[in-house]
Structures are given as structure tokens and as C-alpha cells.
Amino acid sequence: MKDMNMETRVLIQPNKIEARNVQVYYGDNHAIKDVDVDILDKTVTAFIGPSGCGKSTFLRCLNRMNDTIASCRVEGLIKIEGEDINDPRVDPVQLRAKVGMVFQKPNPFPKSIYDNVAYGPKIHGLTKNKAELDEVVESCLRRAALWGEVKDRLSAPGTSLSGGQQQRLCIARAIATSPEVLLMDEPCSALDPIATAQVEELIDDLRSQFSVVIVTHSMQQAARVSQRTAFFHLGYVVEYGETSQIFTNPKDPRTESYITGRIG
Amino acid sequence: MKASSLLTQDPRTKKRNSAEKRFRGLGLTAIVIALAMLVWLLISIVTAGSPAFRQAFLTFPVLVDQTIVDKAGTRDPALLSAVTTLGYGKLLANSLRAEIAAKGIDLGDLKPKEIAQMISEESAATLRDLVLADPSLIGTTIPFTALASGRIDGFYKGRVTMETAALDKNTSPAQLILADRLLDADILSVKFNTGFVTMPDASDKRPEAAGLGIAVVGSFMMMLVVLLLSLPIGVAASIYLEEFAPKNRWTDLIEVNIANLAAVPSIVYGILGLAIFINFAGLPQSAPIVGGMVLTLMTLPRIIIPTRAALKAVPPSIRDAALGVGASKLQTVFHHVLPLAMPGILTGMIIGLAQALGESAPLLLIGMVAFVRDFPGGLFDPATALPVQVYSWTTRGDPGFVERASGAIIVLLIFLVVMNATAIYLRRKFERRW
Ligand SMILES: Nc1ncnc2c1ncn2[C@@H]1O[C@H](COP(=O)(O)OP(=O)(O)OP(=O)(O)O)[C@@H](O)[C@H]1O
Ligand SMILES: [Mg+2]
């Protein structure tokens, strides 16, 4: 695996997303506390931290998926390109077309593989005709490292694929709408090392166009694919900075004990 | 020495296994009892009702005698229609006697009047309609199939015997003996009775002519109204409540009330319908449109509950997936949630419709029990319904109607089986798509 940490390039990227003083409550449960995070454009940002520390919750704030949970309340300021995403004038539907998401659990539509990928471009009117749509579907499946396995059965239901294949299908579906930010919640947790490598390659490739936020439990993966890393612990962002710095020279003792495997 | 062997069961395992065996036994017993009841029910309905589908007919040439139906010989419609069914009854009786004489059948000591009694009064009316519609028949001899009277019909279904006939002023053993001779001479025949499902109801004296035609048409019209009103309203209400409405005290209240409405006795909806649709809105009594709307009121909560359950059963991850690629709420519901909930919604829908089809109490209150002879031309004309027809036939004196009522139940059951089969078919179809 080639070294993807290119600090010099990272430094010149502008902020894509700015989060300030974000609080998230599930009823009385204060799940995210005082989080300030800047996501840079054309950069891969990794969220790491022990289970239940709020990584998914924070990720879901970035495309307002938490709106769908009745008990969930989000406070604080989140801006994408300087625009407050919680402004009453913002339509979450438009936001989600811009900020795509791959969920922690693979959730393909119970439709054909083709329709899974084609759905986003169709509802957003991104393609003009069937041939163009076919092309988009093929290229997305190729980039998600799934094309070879499914090209002969595009009309088979997406739910008939294996868990890892389903997750790659969800990745293909997410990139088919060409989002500007891609949120990936443990995209590789169900994948074998080969598919993982392919997805990591895809993430690196996506970086040229989008900014990618990836939640992962694998330190190695965070170190391999990301330029910036945030360490979450009990709802706080304990440390956030250059990936190389976090892994080689953590400032906070909690970060150090987590990456060396002592808490988690 | 081993502490325990896998080859022998320890006491706990033995206890567990015998508990399981007892439970299985109970379950099996319950199923056997339920099946036995079902079989018993079916057998009793089929034996009681199947005779309604067979009918004794008298087939003979009828001379449309000008001296009876058109004494003046002018073919003047006014004069023609002045001749009542009594005159046509005489025509039939004369022709039957002539046919009997021609075939050389022994009449015994039957008087002409008693022979006339063997023909249903309904057939005189049928013949009259035939002649009034085509006066050129007058003076000619036409082939005609008349209904045998209810007693003669009953004789071939075991309802009337020589003993009961001896005590019955409407028939006599001699008539029955003649009927058997007519049967041998092919004048009388027992055939499948299509009239039972196509003819209108008949008066108390003529069970042999009573049919379900208007009830079938009325029930069909009402089901159409119920389907067209309750499917869109019920599904829309369910989708709104399940997917769009905020979850607060008001929606909780609505939810509780819908559950209560589903449990309200159906006759209450009849009172409501009478007050609103007939007394307030001034719609006609006995009309399928009113019946359909009353049944819609009754069916709505019974559709909303399973529809909401079906929507709720769609995994939230599918909604997340659709919202995640930027679908709107409406697109999420209509592209993803609704298709997945469709089998459940259809099942609920058909069960609701089946309940509405079998409902009689609310229809009694809005006048659908009225005696209707003319087929309804539209939703606003008087009609009856299948279950109400069953009810009104069982209240009549002549045993011929009891047999008809059981036959009507068979027709109703066939309707229900067809509807349930449709539900199962649709369910399979929608499920196979994924
Ligand atoms: N839908 C929800 N309703 C109520 N509480 C929730 C919900 N989702 C998450 N939480 C709570 O919020 C906290 C953070 O959960 P979150 O899913 O963000 O953790 P995570 O860091 O993604 O963990 P993991 O690595 O196991 O996925 C947990 O305490 C959890 O119990
Ligand atoms: Mg998570």
C-alpha cells in the first residue's frame, strides 16, 4: 500500500465543513459534547474511537440524517462551504444529494442491483438517457470493485448479494449521485482484505474530487487512507489533527492509550 | 466413572421434553377440533344449500290462445295488458293438460285446477311478459319451460313427501304421482338452476322463483364503492399517520380512536349512516351508494390498522438508504416503503372487504332489506345485499326459502373464497418481485 499522507497538499485545502460547538442529545442522553471539527476539501478524514463514543451520531449530523430520529436533538453550528445546514431554509433533501452516505449496516434496496445504483441519478435527473445511465451504473460498480462479480446479473436483487458485496453496492449507490462529501460509516467492516484494499483505493481516488469522512475501527486503515484523524471518546473529540501526528505523536494520553490498544 | 452420559437423558432434559410433547399435543388437538368444526359447517351448509341450485322445470308447448289473451282480436296494447297473470295461468294449465292428453298419461282423479296448481305462478308472469313484448306470438304454439310449483320442486329435493302432501292444502299425493309420470315422459325435468343467481327475489308464495340476482348486483356495487373509497382514503391516512404526522399527543389520540372505531359494533355505523346519509344528506334509502358508504365507514379503521402495521414493518434502514441518496420523503415512501408494504396492505384490504361483504346489520338500518323486484340501474336505485337476502329468506314461512337461504350462503362463501384467493395471489405476486 502506497503512502497516502501528503501533508503539504492537505495544508492548502480550504474548509469544506466547519462544525462548532455541536451537541447531540438522544432524549436525555447527551451523546455528542462540544464538538469542533473542520473537514477539509479533497481530503480523507478518519473518525476513530471506541464503540458507542458517538462517531456515527456525529457523522449523521453532517447530512442531517438525525432528523429522522424523533428523539434526537442537534445543537450548535455546522456549515458546509460557509452555509449553515440547519438553517430553516435548507432542504435536507438537497443537502443529502450533496453529502452522500454509506451506512454502517449494508442496506441495499430490495430492488435489482442495477436499480440500486441507478436510483440516485434517476431521481436527481443526472442522466439524459438509458445509455448514459448504463454508463454511470457500470463506472460506479467498477469503482466500488463490484463490477466483475455482478456484471452478468445486474437484474438480480441487491439483497441476494453477500454482506461484503452489499456494502460495496451501497458504496456504488452513494457515489452514483456524485456527492461533494462522502460519509462512510465503517464501510469495510464486512469486507475481506482484498475488497478492503479495493475500497481503500477507491477512497483515495475519490479524494481528487470529494472530501471523504470515514469511520473506522481499524487503526491501520485510518493510517493508510486518511490525512486527518479525529479521536472520539465518550462524546468528546479528544484530539483532532494530521493523521501522522495522531499516530506517531499523540498529544492526549487517552489517544495514546486507544491507539496502542489499552482502552476501547 | 463419568458424571453424565450423553446416551441417557438427565431429569431436566426429560422434563423439558415432556413439556414440549404436551404442548404439541395440545396444539394438534386444537387444530383437529377447529378442522372438524369447519368440515361440519361446510357439510351442513352444502347439504342444506345445494338443492337451491337444482330446480324442477315443466317443458311443454304452449298455445297462446287468442280467445283468452286477446278476445277482441285487435292486438291493442291497452287491451292486451288488461289481461292479468290469471289469464296466462289458464293458458299454461290448458296447454299442460293438452300435452298430458297428447302423451296419453294417466291423470288419475286430478281436477284441472289441481293440475294448474303444479305450475309456478311466476311462470304465468314470465309468459305474460313474453307475449306483451311480442304480440305476434298470439295464436301460435311456442315451446316454453315453466317452473314447477314449490311443492313439486320440494318433492324432488326430499322436502315434500307423500305423507306431508296429504296434509298440505297446496299439493296432494295425486299431484306427486302425476309429477313422477311427467318425469318419465320428459315433460318434467330437474336441472341446474341458473335462475337462482340471476333472478330477482320473489314473493312469499313462490320460493321456487326466488333468486339472488339483485342481491349479487347490489353486493357487487357496494363492494365497488367500498373499494374505491376506502383504498385511497385508508392508505393515504395510514401513510400520513405513519410517515409524516408528528408523533405527539394528538396523533396518539387519533391512533387510540382508530383502534376503538375498529371495535365499534357494525350496527352503530348503520345508525350513523341513517342519520347522515339518509336523514341529513337526503340520499335514497336502500341504495347501494349509501350501503357502500356506510360499509366504507366501518371498513376504514379495519384497513388503516393493518396498513399501518405493514408500513411499520418495513425496516428503517430502507428509509435511511433512500433518504441518504437524496430522495424526498414522498419519494422514499412511494418508491421504497409502499412497494414493500404492499402485500400486507392488500391482505388487510381484502380482509376488510370480505368483512364488509358479509355485513348485514348496518344495511338493515338503511333499508336494504326492502323487497326489490327491479334490477338497479345505478348506485342510487334500490337493491339488496347477499347477507341481507339470507336474513330475509330465513324469516319467511315457506320451507322452500330455508333451502334458498342456505344456497345464498354458499354463493356468499364462494365470493369470499374468490376474494381471499385474490389476496393470496396478489400477495405472492408482489412478494416475488423482490
Ligand atoms: N437511535 C438512537 N437512539 C438513542 N440513542 C442512540 C441512538 N443511536 C445512538 N445512540 C446512543 O448514542 C451514543 C453514540 O452512538 P453511536 O452510534 O454514535 O456510536 P458509535 O461511535 O458509532 O459506535 P460504534 O463504533 O459501535 O458504531 C451511544 O451511547 C448510543 O447508545
Ligand atoms: Mg457507529
Side-chain angles (χ1 to χ4, degrees):
Chain A
M1 189 102 329
K2 61 186 181 239
D3 185 10
M4 292 162 190
N5 296 330
M6 299 153 82
E7 283 110 280
T8 46
R9 208 179 123 192
V10 169
L11 291 173
I12 55 163
Q13 294 299 341
N15 282 351
K16 185 77 183 174
I17 300 178
E18 287 170 46
R20 289 289 172 273
N21 194 23
V22 175
Q23 321 281 340
V24 181
Y25 303 87
Y26 289 109
D28 293 332
N29 176 13
H30 195 169
I32 291 286
K33 297 161 191 159
D34 314 324
V35 168
D36 294 343
V37 166
D38 289 333
I39 309 282
L40 304 186
D41 200 9
K42 303 202 186 342
T43 304
V44 178
T45 307
F47 289 175
I48 58 169
S51 186
C53 65
K55 305 178 297 290
S56 299
T57 302
F58 183 70
L59 201 66
R60 290 165 62 94
C61 290
L62 302 180
N63 66 347
R64 288 184 55 181
M65 280 306 288
N66 284 330
D67 288 12
T68 61
I69 300 171
S71 69
C72 185
R73 194 155 49 84
V74 180
E75 286 171 8
L77 186 66
I78 300 173
K79 283 187 183 173
I80 290 191
E81 292 174 331
E83 293 172 331
D84 179 5
I85 64 165
N86 290 306
D87 189 286
R89 284 169 297 178
V90 171
D91 185 344
V93 172
Q94 235 171 314
L95 171 69
R96 290 180 198 131
K98 213 169 174 175
V99 184
M101 182 157 199
V102 176
F103 293 83
Q104 186 162 355
K105 275 182 243 148
N107 56 355
F109 297 130
K111 297 181 189 289
S112 72
I113 293 170
Y114 181 93
D115 286 339
N116 261 281
V117 183
Y119 183 68
K122 257 190 215 160
I123 59 170
H124 296 300
L126 300 181
T127 52
K128 286 193 272 308
N129 52 42
K130 178 87 168 70
E132 225 173 283
L133 188 61
D134 288 349
E135 219 167 277
V136 169
V137 170
E138 179 176 342
S139 79
C140 291
L141 286 171
R142 273 189 199 285
R143 293 171 75 184
L146 191 60
W147 178 251
E149 286 154 75
V150 301
K151 63 173 187 284
D152 301 323
R153 47 173 180 145
L154 288 176
S155 56
T159 40
S160 69
L161 296 174
S162 78
Q165 290 173 326
Q166 288 187 12
Q167 190 61 293
R168 279 177 281 155
L169 179 61
C170 292
I171 294 172
R173 182 177 68 191
I175 59 178
T177 53
S178 332
E180 293 173 23
V181 180
L182 185 61
L183 310 175
M184 303 176 103
D185 199 345
E186 296 182 35
C188 300
S189 59
L191 301 189
D192 65 44
I194 297 167
T196 302
Q198 286 167 327
V199 170
E200 286 176 3
E201 213 165 293
L202 164 72
I203 291 170
D204 191 48
D205 174 40
L206 293 174
R207 186 162 64 100
S208 59
Q209 307 160 37
F210 320 135
S211 77
V212 179
V213 184
I214 174 171
V215 172
T216 176
H217 279 291
S218 153
M219 300 305 127
Q220 291 82 354
Q221 184 172 52
R224 280 195 303 264
V225 300
S226 74
Q227 289 81 53
R228 313 254 304 167
T229 297
F231 171 59
F232 282 71
H233 186 59
L234 302 175
Y236 294 100
V237 171
V238 171
E239 194 165 352
Y240 179 44
E242 300 293 326
T243 299
S244 53
Q245 174 255 312
I246 297 269
F247 281 100
T248 54
N249 186 19
K251 294 197 182 81
D252 196 287
R254 286 170 293 179
T255 316
E256 187 179 3
S257 39
Y258 181 70
I259 58 178
T260 54
R262 266 176 282 145
I263 58 169
Chain B
M1 174 78 191
K2 265 200 298 183
S4 70
S5 158
L6 279 176
L7 299 177
T8 57
Q9 293 186 347
D10 62 23
R12 277 184 68 83
T13 312
K14 262 189 206 141
K15 224 169 127 188
R16 217 161 47 199
N17 288 351
S18 60
E20 184 174 322
K21 215 175 269 169
R22 270 198 306 279
F23 180 78
R24 281 193 196 194
L26 278 177
L28 205 62
T29 319
I31 287 174
V32 167
I33 291 175
L35 277 182
M37 291 297 188
L38 185 68
V39 169
W40 190 1
L41 182 81
L42 282 179
I43 289 176
S44 65
I45 288 174
V46 169
T47 46
S50 56
F53 294 92
R54 299 182 62 73
Q55 181 86 34
F57 294 96
L58 294 162
T59 311
F60 52 92
V62 172
L63 169 65
V64 187
D65 191 346
Q66 182 166 332
T67 58
I68 296 179
V69 299
D70 188 19
K71 273 186 204 133
T74 55
R75 304 287 192 268
D76 178 2
L79 286 178
L80 285 182
S81 57
V83 181
T84 63
T85 52
L86 278 176
Y88 286 92
K90 217 184 292 171
L91 268 189
L92 286 175
N94 290 346
S95 301
L96 179 58
R97 280 219 313 280
E99 176 72 2
I100 290 170
K103 290 247 169 116
I105 297 165
D106 180 12
L107 273 182
D109 56 353
L110 278 174
K111 290 193 262 313
K113 212 176 141 203
E114 287 174 294
I115 295 176
Q117 209 180 33
M118 294 172 68
I119 306 168
S120 168
E121 291 170 29
E122 188 71 22
S123 293
T126 314
L127 181 62
R128 179 169 180 268
D129 291 343
L130 210 64
V131 173
L132 289 184
D134 182 11
S136 70
L137 294 177
I138 295 172
T140 63
T141 301
I142 55 171
F144 189 73
T145 301
L147 291 164
S149 77
R151 294 299 194 275
I152 302 297
D153 183 45
F155 178 55
Y156 291 103
K157 296 170 179 173
R159 204 167 64 226
V160 175
T161 60
M162 291 295 172
E163 290 77 44
T164 62
L167 304 170
D168 191 339
K169 68 173 168 35
N170 289 317
T171 188
S172 63
Q175 276 183 0
L176 301 184
I177 292 166
L178 177 62
D180 268 342
R181 289 185 189 140
L182 293 180
L183 187 66
D184 291 337
D186 279 343
I187 294 173
L188 190 148
S189 56
V190 181
K191 289 188 297 210
F192 184 74
N193 180 18
T194 50
F196 181 58
V197 282
T198 58
M199 287 191 308
D201 193 10
S203 64
D204 288 359
K205 285 275 191 54
R206 306 171 184 172
E208 70 277 4
L212 280 172
I214 291 177
V216 168
V217 172
S219 275
F220 182 76
M221 285 177 165
M222 284 193 292
M223 285 307 104
L224 214 61
V225 173
V226 173
L227 185 72
L228 291 182
L229 289 180
S230 65
L231 183 67
I233 298 177
V235 172
S238 313
I239 289 178
Y240 176 75
L241 284 173
E242 204 51 53
E243 306 285 336
F244 294 95
K247 302 276 172 283
N248 57 27
R249 219 179 309 153
W250 291 109
T251 42
D252 282 350
L253 195 72
I254 290 173
E255 177 151 12
V256 169
N257 276 306
I258 289 174
N260 283 338
L261 280 179
V264 164
S266 57
I267 197 154
V268 176
Y269 289 100
I271 296 174
L272 187 74
L274 181 65
I276 295 180
F277 299 131
I278 295 178
N279 294 344
F280 177 72
L283 290 170
Q285 285 203 4
S286 318
I289 182 80
V290 177
M293 288 197 293
V294 167
L295 293 178
T296 301
L297 286 181
M298 189 196 82
T299 311
L300 264 179
R302 297 177 185 180
I303 286 178
I304 290 177
I305 290 173
T307 302
R308 289 188 65 180
L311 290 172
K312 212 175 272 182
V314 175
S317 64
I318 298 296
R319 294 183 178 82
D320 280 354
L323 293 173
V325 294
S328 70
K329 196 113 188 211
L330 200 70
Q331 287 174 326
T332 303
V333 170
F334 280 90
H335 295 168
H336 302 286
V337 179
L338 206 54
L340 286 178
M342 215 53 196
I345 293 176
L346 285 173
T347 311
M349 185 73 220
I350 303 240
I351 290 174
L353 274 184
Q355 282 180 335
L357 179 68
E359 202 57 68
S360 55
L363 301 181
L364 295 178
L365 285 178
I366 56 159
M368 296 212 69
V369 72
F371 180 72
V372 183
R373 279 289 289 175
D374 296 318
F375 276 88
L379 292 174
F380 290 85
D381 295 339
T384 53
L386 279 172
V388 180
Q389 192 71 71
V390 172
Y391 165 78
S392 75
W393 279 348
T394 50
T395 59
R396 296 199 192 164
D398 196 304
F401 281 111
V402 177
E403 166 201 298
R404 300 260 152 178
S406 301
I409 291 175
I410 294 180
V411 173
L412 190 58
L413 285 180
I414 291 173
F415 267 62
L416 290 176
V417 167
V418 168
M419 283 169 79
N420 282 329
T422 316
I424 293 169
Y425 170 75
L426 288 175
R427 223 195 142 98
R428 289 267 166 79
K429 197 174 138 121
F430 275 96
E431 271 170 356
R432 220 179 284 145
R433 257 174 63 189
W434 310 123

